[in-house]
Amino acid sequence: MARTQVGIVGAGPAGLLLSYLLHAEGIDAVVIEARSREYVERRVRAGVCEHPTVELLREIGVGARLDAEGLPHHGFSLRFDGEDHRIALTELTGKAITVYGQQEIVKDLIAAHEAKGYPVEFEVSDVALHDLDTEDPRVTYRDSAGNRRELVCDVVAGCDGFHGISRPSIPAGAIRTFEREYPFAWLGVLARTAPSHEELIYAYHERGFALHSMRSPEITRLYLQVPHDEKIDAWPDEEIWSELALRLETGDERFSLREGPILDKGITPMRSFVTEPMRYGRLFLAGDAAHIVPPTGAKGMNLAVADVTVLSRALVELLRYNRSGLAESYSDTCLKRVWRAEHFSWYMTSMLHVDPAADDFGRRLQLSQLRYTASSRAAATSLAENYVGLPFA
């Protein structure tokens, strides 16, 4: 049996960042993760870092590689009616976003933990949470060698994602969940080719949504809207490139879709999901364990960062000073931002995707909203303000 102040389940951005923030304040924490270190460092996920996320990573001393290799973006394009309509993020808000893969942030945080000797255990199994409604919650698991371990904590942080064990460990009826599933999915590919455009392109097309993004000057990330029950085997590489070219076409000779070897491809379902409250007893949920947003608004990882920023302050107050106010208000504080992000992600999704059940009336409403957003400085500013990220609470 071992003891720590905070047991953290999950070594994604939320769990690792929470651990790092707590250790910086003298609070002991142990991170456990079911996957291998190699897996979590290679797991391709989000790539857009909001302005507050970038500022925080710099502030705590893990932003050096982000500054060296990340790609600052001062705008993006809404592509519809065969034309680009640029949303000038920096001009409208004074802020920018940075394209830097989630897996790169995970690498940076793991390296920072390693350098300082902060404990992270990979490849654990049989994880279970106990006594969450007491002052001594426990985490039991088997370590990578198969040995049975028990971790007695003051607090448990569930940062293990939508499919993790933390949220299901809460007794039935203790929390409410709100969910919406969308009738389409994203087919995403990672290609070894230079990006075809210097900024992101969000394209509305009668055949469905498409997104042009990037991960580096040599790697491009692209997405296609597909039916929610689509199978990846239905999409050979040549068909993917053909459909991307069709949906991203503008007739402008300055744009040409660059093709290259596809390194990875998969299909991601689209859903919105929120847990209320984000706490049960001494278990605090953060990131995807508590909420999911459609990826259209680029909010998932950034919401996780916002959650653990609030949680770290609350736990320092609780565990160092025995003041519970911030811990008691943790869920309410986070949920204000969560629901704002849910609305923005729904707005971007509903404006840009073709709903298979929509009629011509609905599609004309979408085009009307796109045209208004692109032509109104007030509408564009509202979109830009949400996209670059609202200040952390």
Side-chain angles (χ1 to χ4, degrees):
M1 181 186 298
R3 175 124 204 161
T4 191
Q5 289 177 286
V6 183
I8 301 174
V9 185
L16 291 167
L17 181 57
L18 177 61
S19 170
Y20 199 78
L21 292 170
L22 291 173
H23 278 290
E25 294 290 339
I27 303 296
D28 292 333
V30 174
V31 182
I32 61 170
E33 166 61 48
R35 304 284 192 169
S36 69
R37 174 174 176 172
E38 179 182 30
Y39 179 89
V40 299
E41 289 186 338
R42 292 187 178 183
R43 180 169 47 191
V44 177
R45 290 291 187 271
V48 171
C49 299
E50 293 178 351
H51 175 80
T53 295
V54 173
E55 290 295 294
L56 175 67
L57 295 174
R58 288 172 176 158
E59 179 184 326
I60 65 174
V62 294
R65 200 162 67 91
L66 180 151
D67 283 332
E69 300 177 17
L71 305 175
H73 283 228
H74 301 283
F76 67 84
S77 288
L78 291 177
R79 183 168 288 185
F80 62 93
D81 287 341
E83 296 180 359
D84 274 340
H85 307 266
R86 187 171 186 265
I87 304 298
L89 298 173
T90 305
E91 177 187 328
L92 294 167
T93 68
K95 301 172 184 177
I97 55 97
T98 300
V99 174
Y100 188 67
Q102 175 177 310
Q103 72 275 14
E104 303 305 323
I105 293 175
V106 167
K107 290 176 188 176
D108 295 340
L109 287 167
I110 290 175
H113 275 71
E114 195 170 50
K116 293 182 177 291
Y118 301 157
V120 182
E121 295 188 47
F122 293 99
E123 298 182 81
V124 306
S125 58
D126 297 336
V127 181
L129 308 185
H130 313 270
D131 304 329
L132 297 174
D133 56 351
T134 74
E135 294 188 357
D136 296 295
R138 296 178 295 118
V139 182
T140 57
Y141 62 96
R142 292 191 183 277
D143 64 21
S144 58
N147 300 309
R148 193 71 181 167
R149 302 293 187 189
E150 181 175 351
L151 192 62
V152 180
C153 314
D154 295 317
V155 165
V156 176
C159 304
D160 50 345
F162 184 76
H163 298 289
I165 59 94
S166 294
R167 191 180 65 254
S169 298
I170 298 174
I175 57 174
R176 291 185 67 191
T177 58
F178 303 83
E179 186 167 12
R180 171 169 294 179
E181 294 192 1
Y182 296 84
F184 37 75
W186 274 16
L187 188 162
V189 301
L190 199 67
R192 188 177 299 282
T193 182
S196 306
H197 194 269
E198 64 272 14
E199 294 181 334
L200 280 72
I201 303 169
Y202 287 80
Y204 173 87
H205 190 276
E206 62 182 8
R207 293 178 63 87
F209 168 78
L211 171 61
H212 168 278
S213 182
M214 63 285 292
R215 289 296 179 268
S216 75
E218 299 81 28
I219 301 293
T220 301
R221 186 75 163 150
L222 303 124
Y223 297 93
L224 287 169
Q225 176 187 343
V226 296
H228 71 97
D229 56 354
E230 191 69 287
K231 305 299 182 186
I232 195 65
D233 293 344
W235 287 90
D237 292 1
E238 59 272 17
E239 184 68 22
I240 292 173
W241 286 117
S242 175
E243 191 66 21
L244 282 165
L246 183 63
R247 297 189 195 182
L248 290 169
E249 181 58 51
T250 64
D252 188 336
E253 294 180 356
R254 292 172 295 179
F255 178 83
S256 178
L257 182 64
R258 293 175 177 146
E259 299 184 13
I262 291 180
L263 308 175
D264 181 70
K265 60 182 177 180
I267 292 179
T268 302
M270 303 280 280
R271 65 162 59 91
S272 300
F273 179 89
V274 180
T275 297
E276 289 191 7
M278 293 168 52
R279 176 190 179 183
Y280 172 75
R282 286 291 180 108
L283 170 65
F284 295 80
L285 301 178
D288 286 0
H291 41 72
I292 295 287
V293 291
T296 326
K299 294 296 168 213
M301 178 186 66
N302 295 291
L303 272 181
V305 172
D307 287 349
V308 299
T309 301
V310 175
L311 183 55
S312 65
R313 295 168 184 161
L315 295 184
V316 169
E317 287 286 298
L318 179 67
L319 301 178
R320 179 186 290 172
Y321 302 110
N322 197 31
R323 295 197 290 255
S324 62
L326 292 181
E328 294 293 338
S329 63
Y330 164 73
S331 182
D332 288 342
T333 300
C334 288
L335 283 168
K336 291 175 184 177
R337 186 187 189 91
V338 167
W339 280 111
R340 173 86 295 272
E342 291 284 356
H343 183 273
F344 179 70
S345 300
W346 165 84
Y347 160 75
M348 290 283 284
T349 301
S350 60
M351 181 171 65
L352 287 161
H353 290 72
V354 174
D355 185 340
D359 56 14
D360 288 342
F361 185 88
R363 292 181 181 138
R364 280 165 173 75
L365 290 178
Q366 285 179 289
L367 282 169
S368 175
Q369 182 62 53
L370 283 163
R371 290 165 184 157
Y372 173 66
T373 302
S375 62
S376 164
R377 185 176 181 87
T381 300
S382 177
L383 190 158
E385 181 181 58
N386 282 272
Y387 196 84
V388 300
L390 301 173
F392 289 159

